[in-house]
Amino acid sequence: MKQAEIPVNEKSRLKTLEKLQLLESGPDENYDNITKLASMICGTPVSLVTLIDEKKQTFKSKIGTEISEAPREISHCSHAILNPEDIMEVKDTREDERFFDNPYTTGNPQILFYAGMPLKAYNGDVMGTLCVLDVKPNSLTAEQKDALKALAKQVENLFELRRHNLELEKTTFELKEKNSQLRNFAGIVSHDMKMPLANMIITSDLIKAKYSSNFDEEGIHYLDYLKQSSYKLSNYITGILQHYESDSLFDSSIEEFDIHDLLENIIDLLNINYNCVINLPEDNMMLNCNKIALQQIFINLIGNSLKYNNKEEIIIDVQCSNGGDFYNFAISDNGIGIPKDKQQDIFELFTIVEEIDRSGNRGNGIGLSTVKKLVTSLGGDITVESEINKGTTFKFTMHKSQCN
């Protein structure tokens, strides 16, 4: 028996095999389908997808045998991988100096025929083979060889798909880590900055109340500006925190509730001090979904309808319906509207449509981005219809599969 030489690129080959994590990936029907076809096309009782590491060869897929691995030093495939570009065919192992006294040749059952096509990874390193075996001498026709090569290409495609999936998993993990860091940072900023800002607001009021007689009109204006700027920064920080904490809303449990009760609680939370009429859905529909996430969506959308409205009487209509696989919602107002050329961008983070709201405060472009993020994560979609000085309607859906 003659042992196979070690490939010149052995270190690179083993590193690639480790990187693809093929040995740890377990059984896969996609590989099994290929070995079944190889066995049928080549007319052999045994077909394997083998992976060759430093000490042994492992059968990633197997048809016609119960063996899962074999020592590398007696492996036929160890010889096959030395020629990455072509099939190694041994028509009768008893007549080949490499295998005539191999345990698989002399054992029971005997392997008397072998044909293996090397399997290459993305960088050309050979991972193993797609091989067919027989217990009697045999040979492949030209058509069978072409078919075996074509099937080997499909195995290589699976290798490449796995590489892309691993890279995607790594990128996803890194993004989750970065998002977690951003959320933690937002929490720290919120805690460490909002208290000083609150102190600045209170202090400006105290100074104005106690020492206003010592200030001229310009000095009073500066105190008001300080207070207004502090409020603006505080609201900005709150918006960022809500945006990055929105992911945690999906940890909330699904619960049953009626839409009227949800909206009435939101109206109380908003503490509306405008002349305002909010028309609830005509039918008080029962919902079974993520109440916390839906509440946050409504708070942002109704809040915008209140802030960006220049009418003496604000009118907001809320609709809700059951549409098969989806819950459907709509919020309409008689506000200032959104220009056509800006309607496609309003859901982008930090996009601002109107410079100031009803109270003279400048928006931060975070709220609608958070709404879009929540709706998308709930398996739905959101659209906007608007006309300047007539009003705006936001329509969004929630997929019921996200409510189970």
Side-chain angles (χ1 to χ4, degrees):
M1 184 181 74
K2 183 179 179 181
Q3 289 191 21
E5 298 176 1
I6 300 298
V8 293
N9 64 337
E10 180 72 355
K11 288 184 178 180
S12 171
R13 195 186 68 79
L14 293 176
K15 186 175 180 180
T16 301
L17 182 61
E18 181 182 7
K19 183 177 180 180
L20 290 174
Q21 300 177 27
L22 291 165
L23 295 171
E24 299 87 358
S25 58
D28 190 321
E29 184 181 4
N30 294 304
Y31 290 91
D32 294 341
N33 289 335
I34 293 173
T35 51
K36 286 177 185 177
L37 284 173
S39 181
M40 291 171 56
I41 292 171
C42 295
T44 59
V46 180
S47 178
L48 309 168
V49 171
T50 69
L51 302 169
I52 301 176
D53 63 17
E54 186 176 8
K55 300 291 185 182
K56 64 180 184 297
Q57 69 171 7
T58 300
F59 302 160
K60 174 66 180 173
S61 176
K62 56 186 181 180
I63 296 296
T65 181
E66 295 302 318
I67 301 173
S68 297
E69 60 181 43
R72 180 173 176 175
E73 60 265 21
I74 62 173
S75 163
H76 299 70
C77 298
S78 296
H79 293 271
I81 66 172
L82 297 176
N83 182 12
E85 304 303 327
D86 206 358
I87 293 174
M88 184 185 88
E89 183 181 36
V90 182
K91 297 179 180 180
D92 189 339
T93 56
R94 295 170 300 183
E95 298 178 0
D96 192 298
E97 64 174 0
R98 296 169 294 180
F99 308 115
F100 74 95
D101 58 349
N102 186 291
Y104 289 122
T105 303
T106 59
N108 186 22
Q110 293 175 299
I111 296 176
L112 299 184
F113 170 77
Y114 172 90
M117 180 64 198
L119 301 170
K120 292 182 287 186
Y122 63 97
N123 57 1
D125 289 339
V126 179
M127 301 293 94
T129 72
L130 171 63
C131 62
V132 291
L133 314 173
D134 206 341
V135 295
K136 65 181 187 300
N138 203 339
S139 63
L140 299 182
T141 64
E143 290 80 7
Q144 287 173 326
K145 288 181 179 180
D146 288 341
L148 191 62
K149 289 181 178 180
L151 290 173
K153 284 292 183 185
Q154 295 307 309
V155 177
E156 292 175 352
N157 289 339
L158 291 176
F159 288 171
E160 185 65 1
L161 180 62
R162 177 161 182 79
R163 182 172 77 93
H164 286 301
N165 286 341
L166 288 172
E167 290 178 352
L168 182 60
E169 288 175 3
K170 180 181 177 182
T171 301
T172 301
F173 175 78
E174 291 173 349
L175 286 173
K176 285 182 177 179
E177 286 291 303
K178 289 179 179 178
N179 283 336
S180 177
Q181 292 171 5
L182 284 171
R183 284 195 298 271
N184 292 336
F185 175 74
I188 293 170
V189 167
S190 175
H191 180 272
D192 291 351
M193 293 186 67
K194 294 198 77 172
M195 184 58 71
L197 287 170
N199 289 337
M200 289 171 65
I201 293 168
I202 294 171
T203 302
S204 63
D205 283 339
L206 288 173
I207 292 174
K208 186 175 180 180
K210 191 172 182 179
Y211 302 106
S212 59
S213 60
N214 298 326
F215 290 95
D216 57 15
E217 185 177 343
E218 188 175 12
I220 297 296
H221 172 74
Y222 285 143
L223 282 175
D224 291 338
Y225 180 76
L226 176 64
K227 181 179 178 179
Q228 184 182 15
S229 298
S230 299
Y231 268 127
K232 186 183 298 183
L233 183 56
S234 180
N235 290 334
Y236 188 80
I237 292 169
T238 299
I240 292 177
L241 183 62
Q242 289 177 347
H243 183 80
Y244 284 109
E245 284 188 339
S246 60
D247 290 339
S248 64
L249 296 180
F250 301 108
D251 297 330
S252 304
S253 60
I254 305 302
E255 55 184 299
E256 189 175 35
F257 57 94
D258 67 69
I259 188 66
H260 282 187
D261 182 62
L262 175 72
L263 291 169
E264 286 166 358
N265 288 334
I266 290 172
I267 292 170
D268 290 340
L269 283 172
L270 290 172
N271 192 25
I272 301 169
N273 55 9
Y274 306 127
N275 181 16
C276 177
V277 175
I278 298 181
N279 298 312
L280 303 186
E282 184 175 347
D283 297 324
N284 188 16
M285 196 171 78
M286 296 298 298
L287 304 176
N288 189 52
C289 62
N290 189 325
K291 182 179 180 181
I292 303 300
L294 183 60
Q295 177 177 271
Q296 187 61 55
I297 293 170
F298 273 123
I299 287 174
N300 285 344
L301 292 179
I302 294 176
N304 279 352
S305 292
L306 292 169
K307 290 188 292 184
Y308 298 104
N309 197 307
N310 56 5
K311 306 297 190 300
E312 288 188 10
E313 182 183 51
I314 299 173
I315 300 175
I316 300 173
D317 295 313
V318 182
Q319 298 177 10
C320 176
S321 64
N322 194 332
D325 292 335
F326 291 88
Y327 292 123
N328 302 307
F329 306 94
I331 298 176
S332 302
D333 62 50
N334 62 338
I336 61 176
I338 302 169
K340 285 282 186 184
D341 60 343
K342 294 186 178 181
Q343 291 178 16
Q344 296 297 320
D345 302 324
I346 58 174
F347 298 110
E348 298 296 325
L349 190 60
F350 305 128
T351 296
I352 298 171
V353 175
E354 193 68 24
E355 287 299 319
I356 58 173
D357 63 18
R358 186 183 183 95
S359 301
N361 298 317
R362 188 176 186 272
N364 51 41
I366 299 175
L368 286 179
S369 174
T370 302
V371 167
K372 173 72 171 179
K373 183 179 178 184
L374 288 169
V375 170
T376 301
S377 298
L378 290 170
D381 193 19
I382 184 167
T383 59
V384 60
E385 299 172 3
S386 187
E387 191 171 347
I388 295 297
N389 293 324
K390 289 190 176 181
T392 299
T393 297
F394 285 98
K395 296 179 180 179
F396 68 95
T397 58
M398 178 188 298
H399 201 287
K400 292 179 181 177
S401 65
Q402 301 295 319
C403 303
N404 298 324

